[in-house]
Amino acid sequence: MVSTNSEIILSEINSEKKKNIEIIEKLKELNITKQNSEKLIELFKSKEKVSCASLASYLDISERTANRLLLKLEENNLAISDLVKINRGRPKKLYKFSF
């Protein structure tokens, strides 16, 4: 980045930080807070699949809010869901982030 005086303000940012900043900007457009964005990036890096309940617990939000968040991410192609059959009741929906 160069200032108006042609001074170098920021040297090269490593690619990981640059990618994180890009992801945070995408999530910011979806009205997701920076704190939650950083936690979502951690989950993305761990490559874990999360359920609505586990995400709600991890982000310390309600399950309904977590569900809305996951649906918003899925609609914007930032998350992919899979249905997992369980012994009783409805199948469980697990999400994997695809930032």
Side-chain angles (χ1 to χ4, degrees), residues 18 68 83 88 96:
K18 186 176 180 181
R68 279 190 234 127
L83 287 177
R88 291 182 149 184
K96 184 176 181 183

Side-chain angles (χ1 to χ4, degrees), residues 49-52 67 70-71 73-75 77-84 92-98:
K49 290 186 177 185
V50 295
S51 67
C52 181
N67 188 42
L70 289 167
L71 290 174
L73 291 172
E74 190 173 28
E75 288 171 359
N77 299 319
L78 298 174
I80 301 167
S81 65
D82 290 325
L83 287 177
V84 177
K92 195 172 192 175
K93 209 172 195 182
L94 295 178
Y95 293 85
K96 184 176 181 183
F97 300 112
S98 56

